[in-house]
Amino acid sequence: MADIITSKETLAQAIEKASVMPAPRDVLMANPKYFSVDYVINPHMEGNIGKVNKKKALWQWEVIRDKFRLLGLRVHEMEGVPGFPDMVFTANQSLPFIDQKGQKHALMSIMHSEQRKEEVPYFEQWYRRHGYNVHYLDAAKIPGFEGMGDAIWHHRKQILWGGYGYRSSQLAYETVSEAFEVPIVMLELVHPAFYHLDTCFCVLNEKSVLIYPPAFTNDGLDLIHAAFPTVIEAPEKEAQELFACNACCPDGKNVIIQKGCHEVNKALKQNGFAFHEVDTGEFLKSGGSVFCMKLMLW
Ligand code: ARG
């Protein structure tokens, strides 16, 4: 039975009860050899067709990869594939999971737009080669699900935050909850510039989260506040232009974030986090930054 959490009363209890999930030690990235903006499927891509500086994109990508390595994570590099300019955003094609027996699983996405649908099999192949159990959604029933772009694990707990509204359908989460036997906290997204949950919601550790409030409904904000005692709010400019909330905090202490998010960085520092600025300027043209350029797994 799907366990979908929609009220703050049941949420605190669910978090309390949720089993521990080991910290991810591995990261999957796809190199940006064929990255470009060739079409418009989100508002950030508008006006950017053909505007990517490929050399710059490669340097920026390498700096991020090396940051993950410096933080002690093992980076797996996947080759980019011609014809798939968005494949570099490896958060989107799947949702990985490790169960209580230590078995690894991955649920394959159903990409919302035609242009990205055929990226998914490359990830499926990768999972099969790495000993994962692969799961699927019923494409006849579910219009879309974009993996960790919208489905974000709570810090070290088997409880999932499920964003829906633009790319992922609410329906997908019933299957996710049943396949992985985990409770899911649903968050409706209501601002078109924040089309994935990872553009407006960044789990920092068990007590803290970084969000952009106007991307959520009041009910959603209530759930977020019920789960996290510390809610850092990104100002509009940093959230929308610099993708501040698309930062990544792999270890509960260090935050990798697009450079120039001064207000957010101040708040991060005040709350005991270290921030590491990187330039994702070429990828912002496509509507993505640090979080969506990687997939954390085990
Ligand atoms: N151009 C890509 C798209 O619109 C960007 C994806 C960014 N990914 C993310 N998880 N926010 O699909």
Side-chain angles (χ1 to χ4, degrees):
M1 255 283 279
D3 186 2
I4 306 284
I5 299 170
T6 48
S7 89
K8 57 181 182 186
E9 286 71 32
T10 46
L11 175 59
Q13 218 186 350
I15 293 176
E16 211 27 66
K17 254 187 26 207
S19 313
V20 171
M21 193 147 80
R25 296 261 171 256
D26 291 50
V27 179
L28 177 60
M29 295 180 75
N31 72 41
K33 214 159 158 188
Y34 302 100
F35 168 63
S36 64
V37 178
D38 290 354
Y39 45 76
V40 175
I41 55 171
N42 71 54
H44 306 272
M45 298 171 96
E46 249 157 61
N48 283 329
I49 291 186
K51 297 252 172 81
V52 168
N53 178 330
K54 297 214 177 196
K55 251 198 184 145
K56 229 169 147 182
L58 181 60
W59 297 331
Q60 293 178 349
W61 182 87
E62 287 174 344
V63 171
I64 296 169
R65 178 199 58 196
D66 295 347
K67 278 272 181 248
F68 283 119
R69 287 188 177 148
L70 274 172
L71 292 176
L73 291 145
R74 182 161 70 147
V75 180
H76 302 264
E77 277 188 44
M78 215 163 142
E79 276 301 305
V81 176
F84 297 112
D86 274 335
M87 193 160 159
V88 70
F89 299 112
T90 54
N92 301 157
Q93 302 84 352
S94 67
L95 170 67
F97 171 61
I98 187 160
D99 68 23
Q100 288 179 66
K101 294 185 218 117
Q103 292 228 347
K104 298 187 277 186
H105 303 265
L107 179 70
M108 303 319 297
S109 297
I110 296 173
M111 301 304 285
H112 182 260
S113 48
E114 256 341 287
Q115 292 97 328
R116 297 199 62 188
K117 285 196 190 292
E118 292 308 314
E119 294 173 21
V120 179
Y122 293 94
F123 289 81
E124 185 182 333
Q125 278 167 27
W126 189 91
Y127 281 122
R128 291 198 183 281
R129 283 202 307 273
H130 288 81
Y132 278 71
N133 299 307
V134 177
H135 304 253
Y136 305 93
L137 292 159
D138 182 352
K141 291 204 195 112
I142 292 160
F145 173 70
E146 295 205 348
M148 288 206 75
D150 275 322
I152 299 180
W153 292 111
H154 194 76
H155 185 80
R156 312 268 162 85
K157 287 268 187 172
Q158 292 199 353
I159 185 161
L160 190 71
W161 292 86
Y164 68 94
Y166 293 101
R167 298 292 183 87
S168 299
S169 120
Q170 214 175 341
L171 278 178
Y173 290 103
E174 283 178 29
T175 312
V176 180
S177 176
E178 275 161 17
F180 293 168
E181 294 180 44
V182 293
I184 303 190
V185 198
M186 302 294 293
L187 290 176
E188 184 179 5
L189 301 175
V190 293
H191 189 314
F194 298 86
Y195 59 95
H196 271 146
L197 184 59
D198 72 6
T199 63
C200 48
F201 178 87
C202 176
V203 175
L204 300 168
N205 62 24
E206 60 277 32
K207 299 226 171 326
S208 322
V209 68
L210 163 65
I211 65 164
Y212 180 59
F216 299 98
T217 62
N218 287 336
D219 287 349
L221 291 171
D222 279 353
L223 288 168
I224 294 170
H225 281 274
F228 299 97
T230 302
V231 178
I232 299 176
E233 299 188 353
E236 184 185 349
K237 195 171 150 66
E238 294 183 12
Q240 191 149 349
E241 289 171 25
L242 301 175
F243 267 52
C245 302
N246 200 250
C248 176
C249 183
D251 57 1
K253 292 188 287 272
N254 291 285
V255 183
I256 309 174
I257 189 166
Q258 164 62 29
K259 72 169 193 213
C261 298
H262 305 303
E263 293 296 314
V264 168
N265 289 342
K266 208 156 70 187
L268 287 171
K269 219 171 138 192
Q270 275 165 2
N271 284 284
F273 294 94
F275 60 86
H276 306 263
E277 294 192 295
V278 291
D279 186 1
T280 62
E282 295 311 304
F283 301 94
L284 290 174
K285 294 174 184 169
S286 187
S289 185
V290 185
F291 189 95
C292 41
M293 290 163 69
K294 63 90 195 76
L295 186 72
M296 304 287 294
L297 26 76
W298 300 268

